[in-house]
Amino acid sequence: MARTSRKKAAEAPKINIGAEIFASLRELEKMKGIPVDTMAEKLKDGLKKAYSKDCEGHRSVPAENVVVDLTEEGLSMHVLKTAVEEVTDVALEIQMEAAKNYMPNVQPGDVVSIPVEIEKFGRIAAQTAKQQVIQTIRTAEREAAAENNGGKVQELLTGTVIRLEPNGDVFVQIGQGAAATRAVLRADEQIPGETYREGQLVRVYVLENRRMGMRSSLMQVSRTHPNVVRRLFELETPEIASGEVEIRNIAREPGSRSKMAVRATAPDVDPVGACVGPRGGRVGAVVEELHGEKIDIVVWSEDPCEYVKAALSPATVLKAELVPGTKACRVVVPDDELSLAIGKEGQNARLAARLTGYKVDIKSASKAQEVSGAE
């Protein structure tokens, strides 16, 4: 390993533009929110790359052998090479006689600091440094947008449709300007029957914010997630925002029907009435946002039988009992409400089971009486 000389290395000539550079960096910090130190380091990296591209012979110089000093007082640059009697690698070594121009008492194996005349950089070098700065700005903007939006996972955001894909996926822009982030609303996360057009505003639920390499991030969003219903009611219902009403669970078949169980955490509060709102205005706003999706709001109960009874709304349940040793509940409904309890294609019973976590066995009153009589 080459030994470093204790002699003072030759100083690289400084360009008196340090103050000007830092003034520009401070302006960028105000405009783009990128720290001055970050930009200074990236500018130094750009100059190092510029040196390697200045001429063909520099391309093999390792980055760690190029040193850039950038301060308010000025800008200087030098390359480190090892002094040797016979040069075998011009990128890393310098012949002893030439080394004495920079370090008069140089010894074989000493590392010599050779000043670089930055003013003589060619056009390619200048472009490289400029591109590095531009890339830094863009990267910082994307990272800032990702950081801002990263905290919005599981939130409901409003975006603008910017592109429709042939496979049905929809790309949405969240936010504006430098803070804007792209989101994809996949076909299987869209409410059945909904259509979209470019420029349309759409509310979406953020599933995750995924990094797409070094260049960008892409939100994964949904319109079908049960929490779309949850977030909409949180926006519409002050009692939920204040904590007086709590949403316990939601079962949803997007575009068709949802069931939501709520409970009051404060006395004298009607949790269902709070969510429905005066003249049905609150639930109506949610239904409108979901393009007519029906929503049943029921009272959550610690008693499984009472919970199942409520979940089968709008049907009336005459009797409910748990099946011993299983997580199932038998219920009896009036004969004329059997189809209502089961629902079209079993939807009401299916949603009730998902909402409560109990398998629901529904029988009409007459059928239940027959079974009881047979026993």
Side-chain angles (χ1 to χ4, degrees):
M1 179 182 294
R3 56 192 180 87
T4 304
S5 173
R6 296 181 181 178
K7 300 288 191 292
K8 185 178 180 180
E11 292 187 0
K14 284 186 178 291
I15 302 178
N16 296 322
I17 60 171
E20 183 180 341
I21 289 175
F22 274 88
S24 298
L25 296 183
R26 278 190 283 271
E27 284 297 316
L28 278 173
E29 184 176 40
K30 291 178 183 177
M31 294 170 56
K32 303 292 186 179
I34 309 170
V36 169
D37 291 344
T38 299
M39 284 299 306
E41 288 301 315
K42 292 299 182 180
L43 180 56
K44 287 159 68 173
D45 289 343
L47 289 169
K48 289 181 182 182
K49 290 183 179 180
Y51 177 78
S52 71
K53 291 186 177 181
D54 187 40
C55 66
E56 194 68 29
H58 293 161
R59 292 188 182 277
S60 58
V61 178
E64 59 267 23
N65 282 50
V66 182
V67 179
V68 177
D69 181 26
L70 175 60
T71 66
E72 296 270 5
E73 287 70 40
L75 171 67
S76 64
M77 183 175 174
H78 55 272
V79 61
L80 304 179
K81 292 189 179 185
T82 303
V84 294
E85 295 291 350
E86 185 175 345
V87 174
T88 58
D89 188 341
V90 295
L92 300 175
E93 299 171 340
I94 184 172
Q95 205 272 336
M96 286 291 297
E97 288 303 315
K100 289 178 182 179
N101 293 325
Y102 309 103
M103 193 181 295
N105 299 321
V106 67
Q107 298 296 320
D110 286 346
V111 175
V112 181
S113 178
I114 305 169
V116 175
E117 296 184 53
I118 301 177
E119 303 97 321
K120 293 185 178 180
F121 273 10
R123 178 179 57 84
I124 295 177
Q127 287 179 344
T128 301
K130 180 180 178 182
Q131 288 170 358
Q132 185 75 6
V133 173
I134 293 172
Q135 182 181 359
T136 299
I137 293 172
R138 289 177 178 170
T139 300
E141 288 176 342
R142 286 191 295 266
E143 289 176 349
E147 183 176 347
N148 290 338
N149 291 319
K152 294 175 181 175
V153 172
Q154 299 184 359
E155 292 299 321
L156 192 69
L157 302 178
T158 299
T160 304
V161 175
I162 56 175
R163 192 167 81 245
L164 307 177
E165 293 293 309
N167 65 356
D169 291 352
V170 175
F171 281 88
V172 179
Q173 178 177 294
I174 308 293
Q176 300 293 327
T181 298
R182 284 193 315 151
V184 59
L185 178 62
R186 297 198 311 266
D188 58 357
E189 295 291 348
Q190 298 169 22
I191 296 175
E194 276 193 339
T195 58
Y196 305 91
R197 65 182 186 280
E198 291 186 10
Q200 176 184 344
L201 294 179
V202 59
R203 276 178 166 171
V204 292
Y205 178 76
V206 182
L207 299 173
E208 63 176 328
N209 194 13
R210 181 180 299 170
R211 296 286 299 184
M212 306 295 288
M214 293 298 293
R215 296 191 174 185
S216 64
S217 61
L218 183 66
M219 281 185 175
Q220 308 290 320
V221 296
S222 174
R223 290 272 295 166
T224 61
H225 197 283
N227 279 348
V228 173
V229 175
R230 180 186 299 272
R231 296 291 180 253
L232 287 171
F233 272 103
E234 288 174 350
L235 291 172
E236 296 291 337
T237 311
E239 290 85 350
I240 295 177
S242 67
E244 296 175 287
V245 173
E246 179 185 16
I247 298 175
R248 295 290 298 184
N249 199 15
I250 296 172
R252 186 182 183 201
E253 294 190 356
S256 180
R257 193 171 188 175
S258 291
K259 286 184 180 287
M260 183 173 75
V262 296
R263 76 179 184 101
T265 61
D268 302 322
V269 173
D270 175 10
V272 174
C275 294
V276 172
R279 299 182 181 179
R282 294 171 183 173
V283 68
V286 176
V287 170
E288 183 178 0
E289 172 64 32
L290 300 178
H291 301 293
E293 183 174 317
K294 295 179 181 178
I295 300 175
D296 298 331
I297 306 171
V298 304
V299 177
W300 177 87
S301 175
E302 291 182 353
D303 183 337
C305 291
E306 292 301 317
Y307 191 15
V308 170
K309 283 183 180 181
L312 284 171
S313 173
T316 303
V317 177
L318 301 175
K319 180 181 178 181
E321 60 181 5
L322 297 179
V323 179
T326 67
K327 198 166 185 180
C329 185
R330 293 194 187 102
V331 300
V332 178
V333 299
D335 289 4
D336 59 351
E337 291 192 27
L338 179 62
S339 60
L340 181 64
I342 296 173
K344 185 179 180 180
E345 298 179 351
Q347 185 184 65
N348 195 57
R350 185 168 59 247
L351 285 173
R354 284 166 50 190
L355 186 72
T356 62
Y358 282 81
K359 181 180 178 181
V360 182
D361 180 17
I362 305 173
K363 285 185 172 60
S364 65
S366 58
K367 183 67 176 178
Q369 190 173 10
E370 288 178 12
V371 172
S372 177
E375 292 176 352

